[in-house]
């Protein structure tokens, strides 16, 4: 299974911890949580990651700024706007970015 680094950016601590648990429960997937825009942008700039997952509680300005930041990265990163819907939806959103993972499950 391909290892995935998933950056989760949001403001609701309880939801972020739930997402981290769900993501980390899949072999080879790692969630790195950020609640601060500047810290998240810095991390994305310095550490290649596979997915940026936007979670709840972000202002429109924060969401726009972090999405625009992706264009300046030296590497391609997938974007998921996940605002709920359960673990099944979350995993399907991830698999839609990496369909080859479905075959390797």
């Amino acid at each position: 299974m391909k290892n995935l680094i998933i950056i989760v950016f949001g403001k609701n601590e309880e939801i972020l911890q739930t997402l981290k648990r769900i993501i980390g429960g899949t072999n080879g997937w790692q969630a790195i949580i950020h609640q601060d825009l500047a810290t998240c942008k810095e991390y994305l700039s310095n550490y290649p990651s596979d997915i940026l997952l936007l979670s709840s509680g972000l202002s429109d300005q924060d969401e726009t700024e972090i999405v625009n930041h992706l264009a300046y990265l030296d590497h391609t990163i997938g974007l998921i706007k996940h605002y709920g819907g359960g673990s099944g939806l979350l995993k399907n959103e991830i698999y839609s970015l990496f369909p080859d993972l479905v075959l390797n499950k």
Side-chain angles (χ1 to χ4, degrees):
M1 164 124 350
K2 175 180 172 50
N3 292 329
L4 292 179
I5 304 295
I6 302 169
I7 308 306
V8 183
F9 179 45
K11 298 294 183 176
N12 184 306
E13 179 68 27
E14 185 177 333
I15 292 173
L16 293 174
Q17 291 305 316
T18 298
L19 290 169
K20 183 175 184 175
R21 180 181 47 78
I22 292 167
I23 292 167
T26 300
N27 189 28
W29 294 6
Q30 178 184 2
I32 299 169
I33 304 298
H34 288 282
Q35 290 182 290
D36 177 71
L37 176 64
T39 305
C40 187
K41 287 170 63 175
E42 181 179 346
Y43 189 92
L44 289 167
S45 294
N46 293 314
Y47 300 97
S49 306
D50 299 294
I51 298 171
L52 171 63
L53 189 147
L54 301 182
S55 184
S56 61
L58 298 174
S59 69
D60 290 341
Q61 181 178 346
D62 281 352
E63 187 172 319
T64 299
E65 193 168 332
I66 197 69
V67 170
N68 289 343
H69 181 71
L70 298 181
Y72 297 100
L73 299 178
D74 293 333
H75 54 278
T76 302
I77 183 169
L79 175 65
I80 296 174
K81 296 180 179 183
H82 181 81
Y83 303 109
S87 60
L89 175 61
L90 173 62
K91 288 184 178 185
N92 282 329
E93 290 169 332
I94 293 169
Y95 289 134
S96 73
L97 291 177
F98 297 92
D100 56 310
L101 294 179
V102 176
L103 301 173
N104 295 325
K105 286 193 338 184

